[in-house]
Amino acid sequence: MRSLLIPLSALLLSSDRAQAAIFPLQARTRSWHTRADVNASATSNGTIPVHNTHNAEYISNITLGGVSIPVMLDTGSSDLWVAQNIPNAKDTGKSAKLSYAVGTAAGDIYTAPLEFDGYTVPDQAFIMVTDTKSFSTDISAQGYNGLVGLGPNSGSVIYKEIDNASGDTMLNRIFSQNKTSSNFISFLLSRLGDPTDTIPGAFTISEVVPGYENITSMPKIAVEKVHRLTNADQHWQIYTDKNGVIGPDGQPIAVDSIVPSAPDGQLVAVLDSGFTLPQVPRAMSDAIYGRVQGAVYDEDSQVWTVPCDQLLQISFKFGGVTYPVHPLDTATSDFNYTDATGKAMCIGAFQPITSAFSLLGEYDMILGMAFLRNAYTLLDFGDFVEDTAEDTGDPYVQLLPLTDAAQAKSDFIAARLNGVDTTGDAAHALLPASQMKHSPETEEEKKKAREEEILSRWPYILVGCLAFVALSVGLCVWRCCCRRGKKGGKGAKGGILGGGLKGKPVYQPLSEPAPPAMNMQPMGQSAYSDPYGRR
């Protein structure tokens, strides 16, 4: 969710998503940039090609109303929109608006025949965006002319506007029409600039990419359901293992989760192919980059910058499996970034969450493209899709590691060090933990943190307040009873519990009433920072 040039998918903020930090840098155009248009037809093995632009955008083609359109693939949203006219599309009489850090995608909702990966939907709902003047970048020049959301139906703005099954997402329609097929998608993301990368960019529906069948043997990681405290979108979010993030020093990075229900030592991670640069807790980002000699935190862009010759190897653990991150992904050279002296620097890809802040404590980090390039990803929708053969199980994620740490180090030496291994030099040694630099927390971030602390725990605060009120009322009544007991004369024995008529107590002991049952209604559409967030 980056910026003027980094994909809109990354910036996508549906009605429930919040803006991520704007990253005002231009992606570097290289000699390997191929044509933006991707072969629209599926290959013979059931996969469709995924085109990689600058390691910042992953694009495939859909055919809508007979027109082939390159669209970004975004697991962090659920809507389809295109920024061009579709002949003979039918107007539903509804409209919708999606907000981005770079502008607003708004328009009328139409339906038209859709073809994708060999599947056909006769009347797919989509937003036809006729005015892109609000965008601060030319999306067509970046190689795409729309975006397809690959998230659950519950996150669709179009579905909420139409309010019936005809407004379902593209994947929901495909799965519902093919009841005998498995309700999963999978994708591989290639890495440009890696001298030994042979990963074919690929996307599949209900099939596994040939040669990667081992993914079906990987642990099925349960999708953590979004707490329905608000109308927040359901994301593809999973728990890390305990102490599941390993820093460049080989030690776990200790960060507490902001999600109230998260098990001790585990973090909630959202898998979002629309984020070029992942968003992680600030303390985690500092632990990755703050001990690098020459590292500088750019407060204007809100990112860490490090010397491009610094090897940084980190990894994540999910379901008992370790997923190394390629050092070419940990710090990216895909932007023309220079420091104040004109020296070229690399961007720390795992940014601290800033304005892309999980206001309601629903997740801790968003693992975007820089992570997803390191794992073949399978997303099973389970009961996210109703009335199909596969709707009885819980949604889950399977991840197949793609990066070998030793080979990745060799790739880094070839790509960044001209084949000369200087990673063990004193100049590249990490600083002691006591000398780690820290990125400054902004006042806006402090404010959001305070709001999150309150909003994410308001049910507990409410129950506590009710208990306090009940206790206070009970105490007042008790004191009143005590006064009356003392004025009641000598016939009363044993205070408030004694004597009375025929030996029965005059006053019954007061029991604190149980708090009233609370009907937890949604708080309504909130513009919270979903670094996944859609607003």
Side-chain angles (χ1 to χ4, degrees):
M1 265 184 147
R2 233 7 84 237
S3 70
L4 309 179
L5 223 268
I6 299 184
L8 282 180
S9 77
L11 304 164
L12 182 63
L13 307 146
S14 78
S15 53
D16 292 306
R17 227 187 194 185
Q19 282 185 326
I22 297 177
F23 184 30
L25 304 174
Q26 293 287 325
R28 178 181 297 132
T29 304
R30 293 177 171 176
S31 59
W32 33 251
H33 176 68
T34 59
R35 66 189 183 95
D37 184 50
V38 182
N39 183 356
S41 61
T43 62
S44 59
N45 57 26
T47 66
I48 62 172
V50 175
H51 172 68
N52 180 348
T53 303
H54 320 304
N55 283 333
E57 298 147 349
Y58 289 91
I59 302 166
S60 285
N61 276 28
I62 63 170
T63 300
L64 192 61
V67 180
S68 180
I69 304 170
V71 295
M72 291 187 57
L73 303 174
D74 183 21
T75 61
S77 66
S78 302
D79 287 298
L80 170 64
W81 62 266
V82 298
Q84 66 183 73
N85 183 61
I86 303 300
N88 303 315
K90 296 180 180 179
D91 194 340
T92 65
K94 303 280 188 177
S95 61
K97 179 171 69 174
L98 303 172
S99 295
Y100 300 83
V102 296
T104 299
D108 293 333
I109 300 174
Y110 287 80
T111 64
L114 176 143
E115 297 176 29
F116 185 65
D117 195 19
Y119 294 93
T120 299
V121 178
D123 53 351
Q124 178 61 50
F126 66 97
I127 300 172
M128 189 185 298
V129 179
T130 56
D131 185 2
T132 60
K133 292 179 181 177
S134 69
F135 290 151
S136 55
T137 187
D138 185 346
I139 62 172
S140 181
Q142 295 307 307
Y144 61 98
N145 216 23
L147 180 147
V148 59
L150 305 172
N153 205 48
S154 62
S156 169
V157 175
I158 293 175
Y159 174 75
K160 292 170 185 175
E161 287 293 332
I162 294 182
D163 199 26
N164 61 53
S166 67
D168 282 355
T169 65
M170 177 191 74
L171 289 176
N172 217 79
R173 295 295 300 277
I174 289 174
F175 292 143
S176 296
Q177 293 174 182
N178 297 273
K179 297 183 183 295
T180 60
S181 299
S182 298
N183 295 345
F184 73 81
I185 61 173
S186 76
F187 55 89
L188 285 164
L189 303 181
S190 62
R191 179 184 302 107
L192 298 175
D194 181 349
T196 63
D197 179 57
T198 58
I199 300 293
F203 180 89
T204 70
I205 298 176
S206 303
E207 296 185 44
V208 172
V209 176
Y212 296 86
E213 290 82 3
N214 285 346
I215 194 169
T216 60
S217 300
M218 300 305 296
K220 294 181 179 180
I221 308 166
V223 173
E224 170 65 11
K225 298 292 184 70
V226 168
H227 306 294
R228 288 299 169 183
L229 181 62
T230 68
N231 276 340
D233 296 347
Q234 174 67 52
H235 309 308
W236 290 109
Q237 54 190 53
I238 57 178
Y239 284 129
T240 66
D241 289 354
K242 189 171 184 178
N243 299 318
V245 183
I246 308 302
D249 61 356
Q251 299 301 311
I253 298 176
V255 176
D256 291 331
S257 175
I258 63 172
V259 180
S261 63
D264 184 44
Q266 294 180 257
L267 301 173
V268 177
V270 170
L271 305 179
D272 189 346
S273 66
F275 267 84
T276 302
L277 305 181
Q279 303 259 304
V280 299
R282 183 174 292 279
M284 182 181 296
S285 185
D286 291 353
I288 296 172
Y289 305 108
R291 293 171 59 186
V292 173
Q293 298 181 58
V296 176
Y297 184 75
D298 186 325
E299 293 189 43
D300 292 331
S301 298
Q302 299 182 358
V303 293
W304 277 104
T305 65
V306 296
C308 288
D309 59 358
Q310 179 69 49
L311 174 75
L312 293 171
Q313 292 186 301
I314 65 174
S315 60
F316 291 79
K317 294 182 178 180
F318 296 101
V321 179
T322 298
Y323 297 85
V325 174
H326 201 294
L328 295 176
D329 290 327
T330 307
T332 175
S333 61
D334 292 321
F335 302 92
N336 289 320
Y337 186 93
T338 56
D339 64 13
T341 66
K343 178 183 177 182
M345 297 283 281
C346 282
I347 300 299
F350 292 80
Q351 299 183 39
I353 288 179
T354 51
S355 59
F357 202 78
S358 173
L359 180 58
L360 293 176
E362 290 168 352
Y363 48 83
D364 297 294
M365 55 188 173
I366 303 159
L367 298 182
M369 303 172 195
F371 170 79
L372 293 173
R373 279 192 287 270
N374 297 277
Y376 174 33
T377 303
L378 185 152
L379 306 176
D380 190 289
F381 283 69
D383 58 14
F384 282 160
V385 182
E386 299 177 354
D387 301 324
T388 69
E390 297 291 321
D391 70 353
T392 56
D394 292 329
Y396 62 84
V397 172
Q398 289 179 293
L399 300 169
L400 181 69
L402 298 177
T403 299
D404 176 84
Q407 180 61 53
K409 180 177 179 179
S410 297
D411 294 341
F412 180 88
I413 292 169
R416 298 271 180 89
L417 303 179
N418 296 317
V420 180
D421 186 0
T422 59
T423 59
D425 295 353
H428 296 106
L430 295 177
L431 296 170
S434 60
Q435 297 180 29
M436 181 173 69
K437 302 174 187 176
H438 296 275
S439 56
E441 190 177 22
T442 65
E443 287 303 316
E444 180 65 18
E445 190 174 350
K446 292 177 183 177
K447 177 182 176 182
K448 289 187 176 184
R450 291 192 295 269
E451 291 173 351
E452 178 188 18
E453 188 72 21
I454 295 172
L455 290 175
S456 64
R457 291 161 176 79
W458 76 265
Y460 308 103
I461 296 172
L462 179 58
V463 171
C465 291
L466 290 173
F468 176 76
V469 170
L471 185 61
S472 299
V473 171
L475 181 60
C476 291
V477 173
W478 180 79
R479 294 189 66 180
C480 289
C481 291
C482 286
R483 292 193 190 98
R484 291 179 182 177
K486 291 178 180 179
K487 294 178 181 180
K490 300 177 181 179
K493 297 181 180 179
I496 64 173
L497 297 180
L501 298 175
K502 298 182 180 180
K504 295 181 179 179
V506 176
Y507 303 107
Q508 296 293 332
L510 295 174
S511 297
E512 182 176 323
M518 290 185 294
N519 183 15
M520 304 293 286
Q521 295 296 329
M523 294 169 62
Q525 302 278 346
S526 61
Y528 77 98
S529 245
D530 168 349
Y532 198 69
R534 315 205 187 306
R535 190 168 85 182

